Amino acid sequence: MAVISFYLDGRDEKLIKNYARSKNMSVSAFLRSIAVESIEDDLDDQLYEKAVSESKNNEHDISLDQLHKVMEAYCCEHSKQ
């Protein structure tokens, strides 16, 4: 297990310690959890942006309205037969 040290002013230290205590967490567990959550959120944002970018370039994607029209046409055509 690694140890990472950093410096805080007294106000930030007190804020972090009090907040971690209010969540029934150690300072170490609290800081670890918010660091990991922040990284995961950032990765999720990157994956979302990539998916949006790729979907704009995909000619096979259709909107929900287009899908609804296709399904209506499909259902109506087959119910007439």
Side-chain angles (χ1 to χ4, degrees):
M1 181 175 285
V3 175
I4 299 173
S5 298
F6 58 94
Y7 296 95
L8 298 169
D9 64 29
R11 183 174 176 236
D12 288 342
E13 177 187 14
K14 190 173 185 177
L15 176 68
I16 291 169
K17 283 183 175 180
N18 287 337
Y19 190 82
R21 189 178 308 120
S22 76
K23 298 295 183 182
N24 295 319
M25 299 174 79
S26 67
V27 171
S28 180
F30 169 67
L31 292 176
R32 183 175 43 255
S33 72
I34 62 170
V36 169
E37 286 174 21
S38 179
I39 292 167
E40 288 173 346
D41 289 347
D42 188 47
L43 292 173
D44 287 344
D45 290 344
Q46 289 175 26
L47 290 172
Y48 171 77
E49 292 298 325
K50 182 180 177 186
V52 167
S53 175
E54 288 175 358
S55 72
K56 289 179 181 178
N57 298 327
N58 188 343
E59 61 200 42
H60 298 292
D61 285 348
I62 63 172
S63 70
L64 186 57
D65 288 336
Q66 291 170 315
L67 177 62
H68 183 71
K69 289 176 185 173
V70 169
M71 293 304 294
E72 275 185 349
Y74 176 81
C75 292
C76 293
E77 285 177 16
H78 284 78
S79 64
K80 293 178 184 177
Q81 295 176 358

